[in-house]
Amino acid sequence: MVFATNDWFALGLLDYVNPICYATFTIIGFFYFRKMMKPAFYYIYFIGAIISLIGGFFIPTIKTLIGLGVMEWNLPVSKVIIANTGFLISGPTLFIGTLKANRLDAPKDKNVTLNSLPVLLAADLAFLNKFIVGFGALGMILIYVTCAKLAFERKRYNAVATIAVSLCGTLFEAFYSNSGTDLNAPAVHWVIEIGAVITHLMLVLSAYLLFIYKDKKEAKEA
């Protein structure tokens, strides 16, 4: 029991890397997606990201408290649902909002915005209760797809590579977590958390390569 308690404490500390990385990605996106997306899409995306971060910081806090003996172990299902609800909102919104027809520099067409948002929100609410966790992963995948699309547009192929690695990590986490493994065992969470940390670190690197980094050729052209 002592070993398990120590494991949960260490897992909690390690798990803080994930929301910190996603917060970094969100902060970078705050400046760059805002310049690109129409407000109706951008604010919904940002609200979804904040919801994900709330759930994301709750999860490692609970694991740390369990490791300290303050709480008894229970799967933090409700907190996972909060995080995935955020992904389910922000992922599709970011994908739709960065389509060329919906960008700030695109010709103004109110029908695009007004017709797209109700469909998006209806889809979120329809799946929220029963399929939230699985479809939260889909929302995260759409964030990767959007970043990869923007990276191709900017010819930032190094960003595409890091996004691909991060996407593979997310898919691994989803399949491993739902493969019948004992989610009450610390050893299982070590595999999940190490994969998650690599995934989120690569996501931050992708954001840097996509939005901030400029190679010498681009600097000369600028």
Side-chain angles (χ1 to χ4, degrees):
M1 180 66 183
V2 174
F3 177 75
T5 300
N6 291 338
D7 262 15
W8 288 122
F9 180 73
L11 280 165
L13 294 180
L14 178 65
D15 200 5
Y16 273 113
V17 175
N18 298 319
I20 290 171
C21 284
Y22 195 69
T24 303
F25 173 82
T26 302
I27 291 169
I28 294 173
F30 176 84
F31 294 103
Y32 291 92
F33 293 136
R34 185 177 62 174
K35 297 175 184 177
M36 185 183 307
M37 299 167 64
K38 292 180 180 178
F41 291 100
Y42 172 75
Y43 288 117
I44 294 176
Y45 157 73
F46 194 65
I47 289 170
I50 295 299
I51 292 173
S52 294
L53 286 171
I54 291 171
F57 276 104
F58 265 127
I59 295 169
T61 300
I62 289 172
K63 289 179 180 177
T64 304
L65 292 174
I66 291 168
L68 291 172
V70 177
M71 296 176 62
E72 292 293 325
W73 164 250
N74 282 301
L75 280 172
V77 176
S78 61
K79 309 307 182 292
V80 173
I81 288 176
I82 291 172
N84 280 281
T85 298
F87 292 136
L88 186 55
I89 294 171
S90 59
T93 309
L94 184 63
F95 178 77
I96 295 173
T98 55
L99 294 175
K100 290 185 177 180
N102 296 336
R103 294 184 191 178
L104 284 174
D105 56 356
K108 291 186 178 180
D109 182 356
K110 293 183 179 179
N111 290 327
V112 173
T113 302
L114 295 176
N115 291 337
S116 298
L117 284 177
V119 172
L120 175 63
L121 293 175
D124 286 347
L125 294 174
F127 289 115
L128 184 59
N129 292 326
K130 193 173 182 181
F131 301 109
I132 186 68
V133 174
F135 280 86
L138 177 60
M140 192 67 192
I141 289 170
L142 284 174
I143 293 174
Y144 294 132
V145 170
T146 302
C147 290
K149 175 187 65 177
L150 296 175
F152 273 114
E153 288 179 5
R154 296 182 171 204
K155 297 181 180 179
R156 300 283 179 88
Y157 300 117
N158 47 5
V160 176
T162 54
I163 291 166
V165 174
S166 192
L167 173 58
C168 289
T170 296
L171 293 174
F172 169 77
E173 291 170 52
F175 286 122
Y176 186 74
S177 299
N178 293 283
S179 63
T181 54
D182 182 9
L183 293 177
N184 291 306
V188 172
H189 283 267
W190 275 113
V191 176
I192 294 172
E193 294 308 332
I194 290 172
V197 166
I198 294 172
T199 295
H200 284 83
L201 287 172
M202 295 302 286
L203 181 63
V204 173
L205 179 59
S206 300
Y208 171 76
L209 293 173
L210 176 57
F211 294 117
I212 300 174
Y213 173 78
K214 287 186 177 182
D215 58 29
K216 293 181 179 178
K217 184 178 180 181
E218 281 184 304
K220 287 180 180 178
E221 289 176 353

